[in-house]
Short mmCIF file of all heavy atoms in Angstrom, two decimals:
data_model
loop_
_atom_site.label_atom_id
_atom_site.label_comp_id
_atom_site.label_asym_id
_atom_site.label_seq_id
_atom_site.Cartn_x
_atom_site.Cartn_y
_atom_site.Cartn_z
N ILE P 1 10.57 -0.18 -65.36
CA ILE P 1 10.74 -1.22 -64.36
C ILE P 1 10.86 -0.61 -62.96
O ILE P 1 10.22 -1.04 -62.01
CB ILE P 1 11.99 -2.07 -64.69
CG1 ILE P 1 11.77 -2.88 -65.97
CG2 ILE P 1 12.34 -3.00 -63.54
CD1 ILE P 1 12.99 -3.63 -66.43
N ASP P 2 11.70 0.42 -62.83
CA ASP P 2 11.88 1.06 -61.53
C ASP P 2 10.58 1.70 -61.05
O ASP P 2 10.30 1.73 -59.85
CB ASP P 2 12.97 2.13 -61.62
CG ASP P 2 14.36 1.51 -61.84
OD1 ASP P 2 14.52 0.32 -61.54
OD2 ASP P 2 15.25 2.23 -62.32
N ARG P 3 9.78 2.20 -61.99
CA ARG P 3 8.52 2.83 -61.61
C ARG P 3 7.57 1.79 -61.00
O ARG P 3 6.88 2.06 -60.01
CB ARG P 3 7.89 3.49 -62.83
CG ARG P 3 6.79 4.51 -62.52
CD ARG P 3 6.32 5.16 -63.80
NE ARG P 3 7.42 5.72 -64.57
CZ ARG P 3 7.32 6.11 -65.83
NH1 ARG P 3 6.16 5.99 -66.47
NH2 ARG P 3 8.36 6.61 -66.45
N THR P 4 7.53 0.59 -61.58
CA THR P 4 6.67 -0.46 -61.03
C THR P 4 7.14 -0.87 -59.64
O THR P 4 6.33 -1.09 -58.74
CB THR P 4 6.67 -1.69 -61.96
OG1 THR P 4 6.47 -1.27 -63.31
CG2 THR P 4 5.56 -2.64 -61.57
N THR P 5 8.45 -0.96 -59.45
CA THR P 5 8.99 -1.28 -58.14
C THR P 5 8.61 -0.21 -57.12
O THR P 5 8.25 -0.52 -55.97
CB THR P 5 10.52 -1.42 -58.21
OG1 THR P 5 10.87 -2.42 -59.18
CG2 THR P 5 11.09 -1.83 -56.86
N ASN P 6 8.69 1.04 -57.52
CA ASN P 6 8.30 2.12 -56.61
C ASN P 6 6.82 2.04 -56.23
O ASN P 6 6.45 2.31 -55.09
CB ASN P 6 8.60 3.48 -57.26
CG ASN P 6 10.09 3.73 -57.41
OD1 ASN P 6 10.90 3.14 -56.70
ND2 ASN P 6 10.47 4.60 -58.33
N TRP P 7 5.98 1.66 -57.20
CA TRP P 7 4.55 1.48 -56.90
C TRP P 7 4.37 0.39 -55.84
O TRP P 7 3.58 0.54 -54.91
CB TRP P 7 3.78 1.11 -58.15
CG TRP P 7 3.68 2.19 -59.17
CD1 TRP P 7 3.95 3.52 -58.99
CD2 TRP P 7 3.29 2.03 -60.54
NE1 TRP P 7 3.75 4.20 -60.18
CE2 TRP P 7 3.35 3.32 -61.14
CE3 TRP P 7 2.91 0.95 -61.32
CZ2 TRP P 7 3.04 3.55 -62.47
CZ3 TRP P 7 2.60 1.17 -62.66
CH2 TRP P 7 2.67 2.45 -63.23
N ALA P 8 5.10 -0.71 -55.99
CA ALA P 8 4.98 -1.81 -55.04
C ALA P 8 5.43 -1.39 -53.64
O ALA P 8 4.78 -1.73 -52.64
CB ALA P 8 5.81 -3.01 -55.52
N ILE P 9 6.51 -0.64 -53.57
CA ILE P 9 6.98 -0.17 -52.26
C ILE P 9 5.96 0.77 -51.63
O ILE P 9 5.70 0.72 -50.42
CB ILE P 9 8.35 0.53 -52.42
CG1 ILE P 9 9.42 -0.49 -52.85
CG2 ILE P 9 8.77 1.20 -51.12
CD1 ILE P 9 10.75 0.13 -53.18
N THR P 10 5.36 1.63 -52.44
CA THR P 10 4.34 2.54 -51.93
C THR P 10 3.13 1.78 -51.42
O THR P 10 2.57 2.11 -50.35
CB THR P 10 3.91 3.52 -53.03
OG1 THR P 10 5.05 4.25 -53.51
CG2 THR P 10 2.88 4.51 -52.52
N VAL P 11 2.70 0.75 -52.14
CA VAL P 11 1.57 -0.08 -51.71
C VAL P 11 1.88 -0.74 -50.37
O VAL P 11 1.05 -0.74 -49.44
CB VAL P 11 1.24 -1.13 -52.78
CG1 VAL P 11 0.31 -2.21 -52.21
CG2 VAL P 11 0.59 -0.48 -53.98
N ILE P 12 3.07 -1.29 -50.24
CA ILE P 12 3.45 -1.97 -49.00
C ILE P 12 3.47 -0.98 -47.83
O ILE P 12 2.95 -1.27 -46.73
CB ILE P 12 4.81 -2.66 -49.16
CG1 ILE P 12 4.70 -3.83 -50.14
CG2 ILE P 12 5.34 -3.15 -47.82
CD1 ILE P 12 6.02 -4.47 -50.47
N ALA P 13 4.07 0.18 -48.05
CA ALA P 13 4.13 1.17 -46.97
C ALA P 13 2.74 1.61 -46.53
O ALA P 13 2.46 1.73 -45.33
CB ALA P 13 4.95 2.39 -47.43
N ALA P 14 1.86 1.82 -47.49
CA ALA P 14 0.49 2.25 -47.15
C ALA P 14 -0.26 1.15 -46.41
O ALA P 14 -0.93 1.42 -45.40
CB ALA P 14 -0.25 2.64 -48.42
N MET P 15 -0.17 -0.09 -46.88
CA MET P 15 -0.89 -1.18 -46.25
C MET P 15 -0.35 -1.49 -44.85
O MET P 15 -1.11 -1.79 -43.93
CB MET P 15 -0.83 -2.43 -47.12
CG MET P 15 -1.54 -2.29 -48.46
SD MET P 15 -3.29 -1.92 -48.27
CE MET P 15 -3.85 -1.99 -49.96
N LEU P 16 0.97 -1.42 -44.68
CA LEU P 16 1.54 -1.63 -43.35
C LEU P 16 1.08 -0.55 -42.39
O LEU P 16 0.78 -0.81 -41.21
CB LEU P 16 3.06 -1.66 -43.43
CG LEU P 16 3.71 -2.88 -44.09
CD1 LEU P 16 5.21 -2.72 -44.13
CD2 LEU P 16 3.32 -4.16 -43.37
N SER P 17 1.04 0.68 -42.88
CA SER P 17 0.59 1.78 -42.03
C SER P 17 -0.85 1.60 -41.59
O SER P 17 -1.20 1.80 -40.42
CB SER P 17 0.75 3.10 -42.78
OG SER P 17 0.28 4.19 -42.01
N VAL P 18 -1.71 1.18 -42.51
CA VAL P 18 -3.13 0.98 -42.18
C VAL P 18 -3.31 -0.20 -41.24
O VAL P 18 -4.07 -0.13 -40.26
CB VAL P 18 -3.95 0.78 -43.47
CG1 VAL P 18 -5.37 0.33 -43.14
CG2 VAL P 18 -3.98 2.06 -44.28
N SER P 19 -2.60 -1.29 -41.51
CA SER P 19 -2.84 -2.52 -40.76
C SER P 19 -2.22 -2.50 -39.36
O SER P 19 -2.86 -2.94 -38.40
CB SER P 19 -2.28 -3.71 -41.54
OG SER P 19 -2.44 -4.91 -40.83
N LEU P 20 -0.99 -2.03 -39.24
CA LEU P 20 -0.29 -2.13 -37.96
C LEU P 20 -0.51 -0.95 -37.03
O LEU P 20 -0.24 -1.05 -35.84
CB LEU P 20 1.22 -2.31 -38.22
CG LEU P 20 1.62 -3.55 -39.03
CD1 LEU P 20 3.12 -3.63 -39.17
CD2 LEU P 20 1.07 -4.82 -38.39
N SER P 21 -0.97 0.15 -37.57
CA SER P 21 -1.14 1.34 -36.72
C SER P 21 -2.51 1.39 -36.05
O SER P 21 -2.71 2.14 -35.09
CB SER P 21 -0.95 2.61 -37.54
OG SER P 21 -1.95 2.72 -38.55
N THR P 22 -3.46 0.58 -36.53
CA THR P 22 -4.82 0.59 -35.99
C THR P 22 -5.15 -0.79 -35.42
O THR P 22 -5.14 -1.78 -36.16
CB THR P 22 -5.84 0.96 -37.08
OG1 THR P 22 -5.45 2.19 -37.67
CG2 THR P 22 -7.23 1.09 -36.50
N PRO P 23 -5.45 -0.89 -34.13
CA PRO P 23 -5.73 -2.21 -33.55
C PRO P 23 -6.92 -2.92 -34.20
O PRO P 23 -6.96 -4.15 -34.26
CB PRO P 23 -6.02 -1.89 -32.08
CG PRO P 23 -5.37 -0.58 -31.83
CD PRO P 23 -5.46 0.17 -33.13
N THR P 24 -7.89 -2.17 -34.67
CA THR P 24 -9.09 -2.79 -35.25
C THR P 24 -8.94 -3.12 -36.74
O THR P 24 -9.87 -3.68 -37.32
CB THR P 24 -10.28 -1.85 -35.06
OG1 THR P 24 -9.99 -0.58 -35.66
CG2 THR P 24 -10.60 -1.65 -33.59
N ALA P 25 -7.83 -2.76 -37.35
CA ALA P 25 -7.64 -3.07 -38.77
C ALA P 25 -7.53 -4.57 -38.96
O ALA P 25 -6.86 -5.27 -38.19
CB ALA P 25 -6.40 -2.37 -39.30
N HIS P 26 -8.17 -5.07 -40.00
CA HIS P 26 -8.19 -6.52 -40.24
C HIS P 26 -6.91 -6.96 -40.93
O HIS P 26 -6.32 -6.22 -41.73
CB HIS P 26 -9.40 -6.88 -41.11
CG HIS P 26 -9.76 -8.33 -41.07
ND1 HIS P 26 -9.20 -9.26 -41.91
CD2 HIS P 26 -10.62 -9.01 -40.25
CE1 HIS P 26 -9.70 -10.46 -41.64
NE2 HIS P 26 -10.57 -10.33 -40.63
N HIS P 27 -6.49 -8.20 -40.62
CA HIS P 27 -5.27 -8.71 -41.25
C HIS P 27 -5.46 -8.95 -42.74
O HIS P 27 -4.48 -9.11 -43.49
CB HIS P 27 -4.85 -10.02 -40.56
CG HIS P 27 -5.75 -11.18 -40.85
ND1 HIS P 27 -5.56 -12.03 -41.91
CD2 HIS P 27 -6.88 -11.61 -40.23
CE1 HIS P 27 -6.50 -12.96 -41.92
NE2 HIS P 27 -7.33 -12.73 -40.91
N GLY P 28 -6.70 -8.97 -43.21
CA GLY P 28 -6.95 -9.13 -44.64
C GLY P 28 -6.35 -8.01 -45.47
O GLY P 28 -6.12 -8.18 -46.67
N VAL P 29 -6.09 -6.86 -44.84
CA VAL P 29 -5.44 -5.77 -45.56
C VAL P 29 -4.07 -6.21 -46.07
O VAL P 29 -3.68 -5.90 -47.20
CB VAL P 29 -5.31 -4.53 -44.65
CG1 VAL P 29 -4.48 -3.44 -45.31
CG2 VAL P 29 -6.69 -3.99 -44.28
N LEU P 30 -3.35 -6.97 -45.25
CA LEU P 30 -2.03 -7.44 -45.65
C LEU P 30 -2.13 -8.53 -46.72
O LEU P 30 -1.27 -8.61 -47.61
CB LEU P 30 -1.27 -7.96 -44.43
CG LEU P 30 -0.95 -6.90 -43.38
CD1 LEU P 30 -0.36 -7.53 -42.13
CD2 LEU P 30 -0.01 -5.85 -43.94
N LEU P 31 -3.16 -9.35 -46.65
CA LEU P 31 -3.36 -10.35 -47.71
C LEU P 31 -3.68 -9.66 -49.04
O LEU P 31 -3.21 -10.08 -50.10
CB LEU P 31 -4.49 -11.29 -47.32
CG LEU P 31 -4.28 -12.13 -46.06
CD1 LEU P 31 -5.50 -12.99 -45.78
CD2 LEU P 31 -3.03 -13.00 -46.21
N PHE P 32 -4.46 -8.61 -48.97
CA PHE P 32 -4.76 -7.83 -50.17
C PHE P 32 -3.49 -7.19 -50.72
O PHE P 32 -3.29 -7.12 -51.94
CB PHE P 32 -5.81 -6.78 -49.85
CG PHE P 32 -6.23 -5.95 -51.03
CD1 PHE P 32 -6.88 -6.53 -52.11
CD2 PHE P 32 -5.96 -4.59 -51.07
CE1 PHE P 32 -7.26 -5.76 -53.21
CE2 PHE P 32 -6.33 -3.82 -52.16
CZ PHE P 32 -6.99 -4.40 -53.22
N ALA P 33 -2.61 -6.73 -49.83
CA ALA P 33 -1.33 -6.15 -50.26
C ALA P 33 -0.49 -7.19 -50.99
O ALA P 33 0.18 -6.87 -51.99
CB ALA P 33 -0.57 -5.59 -49.07
N MET P 34 -0.52 -8.43 -50.54
CA MET P 34 0.23 -9.49 -51.22
C MET P 34 -0.27 -9.67 -52.65
O MET P 34 0.54 -9.85 -53.58
CB MET P 34 0.09 -10.81 -50.45
CG MET P 34 0.74 -10.81 -49.09
SD MET P 34 0.44 -12.37 -48.21
CE MET P 34 1.06 -11.98 -46.58
N LEU P 35 -1.59 -9.63 -52.84
CA LEU P 35 -2.15 -9.77 -54.18
C LEU P 35 -1.76 -8.59 -55.07
O LEU P 35 -1.44 -8.77 -56.25
CB LEU P 35 -3.67 -9.91 -54.10
CG LEU P 35 -4.20 -11.17 -53.44
CD1 LEU P 35 -5.73 -11.15 -53.41
CD2 LEU P 35 -3.70 -12.42 -54.16
N LEU P 36 -1.79 -7.39 -54.51
CA LEU P 36 -1.41 -6.21 -55.30
C LEU P 36 0.05 -6.27 -55.71
O LEU P 36 0.40 -5.96 -56.86
CB LEU P 36 -1.68 -4.94 -54.50
CG LEU P 36 -3.13 -4.49 -54.36
CD1 LEU P 36 -3.22 -3.22 -53.52
CD2 LEU P 36 -3.75 -4.25 -55.73
N VAL P 37 0.91 -6.67 -54.79
CA VAL P 37 2.33 -6.77 -55.11
C VAL P 37 2.57 -7.86 -56.14
O VAL P 37 3.42 -7.73 -57.03
CB VAL P 37 3.15 -7.02 -53.83
CG1 VAL P 37 4.61 -7.28 -54.15
CG2 VAL P 37 3.04 -5.81 -52.89
#
């Protein structure tokens, strides 16, 4: 259970980094993160 939670946190951190750090990154990255979580 804890391992799955850690995967979800890693996914969120990666998607936030990609989406918010690059002005041209599409907001769909965050929608995709919602589906993965």
Side-chain angles (χ1 to χ4, degrees):
I1 292 174
D2 292 339
R3 197 176 307 166
T4 313
T5 303
N6 292 338
W7 292 344
I9 294 173
T10 302
V11 166
I12 292 174
M15 295 300 185
L16 289 178
S17 178
V18 170
S19 178
L20 300 182
S21 63
T22 306
T24 57
H26 198 272
H27 71 90
V29 173
L30 295 173
L31 298 178
F32 182 64
M34 294 176 189
L35 294 179
L36 285 179
V37 174

